[in-house]
Amino acid sequence: MDFALPEELRALQRTVRSFAQREIAPIAAELDREPRFPWPSLRAMGALGLLGLTTPEADGGAGLGSLAAAVLLEEIAAADASHATIMSVTSGLPQALLVRHATPAQRARWLPRLASGEWIGAFCLSEPHAGSDAAAIRTRARRVADGFELSGTKAWVTGGGEAHLYLVLAATDAGAGARGISAFVVERDQAGISFGAPEAKLGQHAAITTEVRLDACFVPLEQRLGTEGQGLVMALQALDGARIGIAAQSVGIGRAAFDAALAYADERQAFGVSVREFQGVGFPLADMATRLEAARLLTLRAAWLMDRGRRVTKEASMAKLFASEAAAFVTDAALQVFGGYGYSREYPVERYFRDARVTRIYEGTSEIQRVVIGRQLYRDRDRAEAPGREAGA
Amino acid sequence: MTIVTIVKQVPEAEARVRVQGGALDLAGATFVLDGMDEYGVEQALRLREAGEASEIVAVGYGPRETEQALRTALAMGADRAVLLEASGLDDPLTVALALAEVVREAGADLVLVGGKQADWDSAALGPALAEALGWPHVDWATAFTLSGQAFESVHEIDDGSETLRGSLPLVVTTQQGLNEPRYPTLPNIMKANRKPLDVRPAATEESRSAARSYAVVERERRRVVLEGDASSAASELVRRLRDEAKVLG
Ligand SMILES: Cc1cc2nc3c(=O)[nH]c(=O)nc-3n(C[C@H](O)[C@H](O)[C@H](O)COP(=O)(O)OP(=O)(O)OC[C@H]3O[C@@H](n4cnc5c(N)ncnc54)[C@H](O)[C@@H]3O)c2cc1C
């Protein structure tokens, strides 16, 4: 068992850390106050290969594995959570789905542009009335000559209006529930797609979130991805990998808050000593460090298993659940270490606190992760007892 | 035309450096490619992109770990690297003699090297290397172009800037302002691991100089942070400059 990152991965990490700290961290506070989709820094990330991490080199990506993606996503998140969310979505969902399910023509049409960051990809599953209950979506894809016509409203779309490519889940067979949903690619300039105003959110302001409205939006047959009726299955499978991304993001935000608290507890004086001398400050720092370390290990192990071709539904959910809860704990505890200054916008901890909060919600709430893990525990047990039975079937 | 770019590995500028028992303890520090040398690597790449160079060789002198800095240069785009492995604290004249050997062997006509080294700050390596090669050198370049064998280089002087023209071979020392070094792309970082990196012991040639000992001189910075809004901080700054530091009349 070797817990050390391979040297070539550490070389990637060093470069991305220095890039993130020099180019992204300095603009994070301003992007929080005056939200805008951070195109210039996204372009710079694209040039490095950070927006197509796991997309094969032949398709214009960096051709890295999940382990590398998790390590590098942590670095971006430690500089700014919004950049990490955009990065995680564009490479973890639309690109991951295209890499797995696209025809050669579809690959050639979309992957190079997405992997280079020229285009950003968005993922449209949630709807105003249905998030956790994904099979209950109401967006319809009606079969017409040469294609489909999509109608419905998608909610909470990261990158809405800014992204060029929308991976949309819609019901092709309304009566078939989870097995009646298909995946489509819609481009931003197609007729029939429009966007709501950016949602006013607690945090992650630069990762613009909007509604996406589909109004009899015609999508040619060549823009359906994968087999009809398999859309939700494909999406849930992609979410396994994407959840590892959110786990890594959570670790990154938590790390930034922890590092700030560690430095501040050393510098801040009270009662004639550094506040770190008080057990009431030292113990929370110990707990923060411990939970971050555990979260990182769960995350990297899930990624490592995924690189070995394993289905990681349970491990990804465990990592996402634990890491997002750890990020919430760590950012809250860091804010406390800062005292009144923690509550002030002059210091970054209140932003980390706000940015971290949503990691417990998107890509499956903490409650849903527990549902997934709980179900998977029995699947794993039954599979162990009855070898040969398909997992997840 | 071959360009040699000299690369040194140094502690990151923000690294926490401890002094323990009269020696530097760098155990916790992150090491990086010296920022001044990085301008040289970048300039070499730009000269090649402009069609003025065919091969770029990154050359380092120092402990085995210097390999990391050389890999960074390879990831940025250098073609191959040579590391002269040496563990001691060799002075710039000694280092220059060893490096000159590699420059000759590579058949290079141009050497780019950081104006100062982030750790020793001696500003001596570039000129010493020019001397060892018997080549001219231009220092502190803020602009540098080539057209065949003819070069043009600009550097800042007290009352403006100076433009120097001449022809290769040449040693150029580089500094901030010359260019904006690129970040290596992720695929290129991976590919850098497969580029040739030749490690050999530094030649123990007789040098005319030797460092006898090194001592750490600690200097505390008197750092003051003025609190308050801009105008009250400015008034306080003026008061301190006038009444305490006495640099204002
Ligand atoms: C900033 C942000 C960005 C987002 N980006 C995207 C995006 O790019 N694409 C996209 O498709 N979606 C996106 N989402 C949507 C997100 O995935 C959903 O908000 C999330 O899945 C929860 O769905 P919901 O909001 O409808 O909550 P609901 O499903 O209505 O849940 C309400 C509450 O009930 C709980 N609950 C529901 N079902 C169960 C159950 N079975 N057992 C126990 N508890 C349960 C939930 O945990 C939650 O606490 C984003 C959301 C946010 C806030």
Side-chain angles (χ1 to χ4, degrees):
Chain A
M1 195 180 268
D2 186 354
F3 288 99
L5 295 179
E7 170 51 31
E8 53 180 29
L9 181 43
R10 282 190 289 143
L12 297 172
Q13 186 186 35
R14 278 192 297 273
T15 297
V16 174
R17 179 173 298 177
S18 119
F19 168 80
Q21 292 304 319
R22 282 197 266 173
E23 314 290 334
I24 295 179
I27 59 174
E30 197 219 315
L31 285 171
D32 177 58
R33 282 192 303 270
E34 290 157 34
R36 60 178 183 276
F37 205 67
W39 277 112
S41 39
L42 288 172
R43 293 262 182 264
M45 285 171 70
L48 258 60
L50 281 165
L51 295 178
L53 286 177
T54 53
T55 296
E57 275 195 77
D59 297 302
L64 299 169
S66 300
L67 182 66
V71 167
L72 303 183
L73 195 51
E74 177 186 325
E75 294 305 327
I76 299 297
D80 178 47
S82 290
H83 282 80
T85 296
I86 298 165
M87 170 184 176
S88 181
V89 171
T90 187
S91 61
L93 290 165
Q95 284 181 67
L97 279 157
L98 286 167
V99 166
R100 216 181 154 98
H101 304 285
T103 63
Q106 290 175 326
R107 290 179 93 94
R109 178 169 171 193
W110 292 309
L111 276 174
R113 284 199 260 201
L114 287 172
S116 67
E118 180 195 340
W119 279 21
I120 292 289
F123 181 71
C124 310
L125 175 59
S126 308
E127 298 187 357
H129 70 283
S132 305
D133 187 6
I137 58 172
R138 289 185 195 145
T139 298
R140 294 276 175 273
R142 198 166 59 88
R143 192 67 213 244
V144 294
D146 305 327
F148 297 84
E149 207 173 71
L150 307 194
S151 292
T153 301
K154 292 294 177 180
W156 301 112
V157 176
T158 297
E162 300 284 346
H164 301 72
L165 180 148
Y166 297 80
L167 197 300
V168 177
L169 280 304
T172 33
D173 180 353
R179 299 274 166 183
I181 293 172
S182 306
F184 300 89
V185 173
V186 184
E187 295 183 3
R188 185 176 60 186
D189 51 15
Q190 276 182 243
I193 184 168
S194 63
F195 308 95
E199 304 289 346
K201 297 181 294 184
L202 178 66
Q204 297 204 12
H205 294 157
I208 302 286
T209 318
T210 73
E211 273 192 359
V212 172
R213 295 167 195 145
L214 298 154
D215 183 14
C217 175
F218 173 71
V219 176
L221 199 53
E222 313 87 83
Q223 290 182 214
R224 191 191 70 213
L225 185 66
T227 315
E228 193 164 319
Q230 286 295 302
L232 194 60
V233 176
M234 286 155 43
L236 292 179
Q237 188 178 41
L239 276 168
D240 286 352
R243 282 172 181 159
I244 300 175
I246 301 306
Q249 175 190 41
S250 305
V251 174
I253 305 171
R255 182 183 101 195
F258 171 74
D259 286 348
L262 194 70
Y264 190 80
D266 193 25
E267 288 158 15
R268 179 71 176 178
Q269 303 278 315
F271 301 95
V273 294
S274 286
V275 299
R276 62 182 268 208
E277 304 291 338
F278 303 120
Q279 232 175 48
V281 173
F283 277 18
L285 286 172
D287 286 340
M288 289 153 81
T290 306
R291 291 201 204 181
L292 275 179
E293 198 66 39
R296 185 180 290 117
L297 287 171
L298 276 174
T299 305
L300 297 185
R301 180 167 175 279
W304 179 85
L305 283 170
M306 192 161 155
D307 285 339
R308 268 147 197 78
R310 292 269 297 274
R311 181 92 203 240
V312 291
T313 306
K314 183 180 70 184
E315 290 77 8
S317 280
M318 286 176 162
K320 201 265 182 187
L321 169 62
F322 189 85
S324 60
E325 298 287 339
F329 168 81
V330 169
T331 53
D332 179 60
L335 197 154
Q336 193 68 16
V337 167
F338 271 76
Y341 294 102
Y343 200 66
S344 158
R345 292 222 164 169
E346 231 179 279
Y347 287 87
V349 272
E350 61 84 31
R351 171 163 48 87
Y352 300 143
F353 174 77
R354 289 183 289 110
D355 284 350
R357 188 60 182 81
V358 73
T359 60
R360 290 166 63 198
I361 297 171
Y362 55 25
E363 302 209 4
T365 63
S366 285
E367 293 72 35
I368 292 303
Q369 303 310 325
R370 290 186 174 95
V371 171
V372 171
I373 296 163
R375 184 172 54 218
Q376 207 60 34
L377 291 174
Y378 285 101
R379 286 193 178 157
D380 289 353
R381 185 197 70 174
D382 296 344
R383 191 177 45 191
E385 283 174 0
R389 205 168 120 184
E390 281 287 304
Chain B
M1 203 267 288
T2 296
I3 301 178
V4 162
T5 158
I6 307 291
V7 159
K8 193 164 163 55
Q9 164 128 308
V10 298
E12 196 180 36
E14 298 91 46
R16 276 176 177 272
V17 178
R18 283 170 203 278
V19 177
Q20 210 127 41
L24 282 186
D25 174 10
L26 295 169
T30 305
F31 285 82
V32 295
L33 163 56
D34 185 319
M36 288 239 179
D37 293 338
E38 208 175 355
Y39 298 116
V41 177
E42 176 64 34
Q43 200 61 25
L45 298 172
R46 291 183 187 200
L47 289 168
R48 186 175 61 189
E49 283 156 9
E52 296 294 346
S54 48
E55 192 196 22
I56 300 169
V57 187
V59 181
Y61 183 103
R64 189 67 194 229
E65 294 77 43
T66 306
E67 189 177 327
Q68 231 180 56
L70 289 166
R71 292 270 176 225
T72 304
L74 292 171
M76 288 172 75
D79 300 296
R80 63 184 180 91
V82 179
L83 169 58
L84 298 179
E85 196 177 349
S87 53
L89 297 168
D90 296 320
D91 69 287
L93 301 184
T94 307
V95 175
L97 284 177
L99 290 174
E101 243 351 275
V102 184
V103 173
R104 278 190 217 102
E105 179 194 296
D109 287 324
L110 177 64
V111 176
L112 298 164
V113 51
K116 279 191 199 181
Q117 300 155 289
D119 52 358
W120 295 115
D121 237 19
S122 66
L125 185 63
L129 185 51
E131 180 70 21
L133 288 163
W135 293 2
H137 91 275
V138 299
D139 58 7
W140 303 111
T142 52
F144 185 85
T145 50
L146 270 182
S147 170
Q149 291 292 106
F151 73 82
E152 185 174 306
S153 180
V154 179
H155 76 176
E156 314 297 321
I157 51 177
D158 281 349
D159 34 16
S161 65
E162 185 173 56
T163 302
L164 299 155
R165 293 189 191 87
S167 66
L168 302 182
L170 181 73
V171 175
V172 183
T173 73
T174 54
Q175 65 159 324
Q176 185 166 16
L178 178 59
N179 53 45
E180 195 60 53
R182 70 196 64 191
Y183 291 96
T185 69
L186 306 181
N188 285 348
I189 296 173
M190 302 298 286
K191 282 178 200 122
N193 291 309
R194 298 189 288 275
K195 287 186 178 175
L197 192 154
D198 172 16
V199 183
R200 43 178 119 141
T204 49
E205 207 178 321
E206 196 58 45
S207 172
R208 285 169 295 168
S209 65
R212 293 176 155 257
S213 67
Y214 286 94
V216 174
V217 180
E218 271 187 89
R219 199 168 56 187
E220 275 294 322
R221 286 213 180 187
R222 287 186 57 206
R223 191 180 42 173
V224 179
V225 177
L226 301 178
E227 314 246 345
D229 62 28
S231 74
S232 65
S235 316
E236 176 61 12
L237 177 62
V238 170
R239 191 193 65 75
R240 283 172 184 253
L241 290 174
R242 187 185 53 222
D243 302 345
E244 292 176 17
K246 301 204 189 305
V247 293
L248 296 181

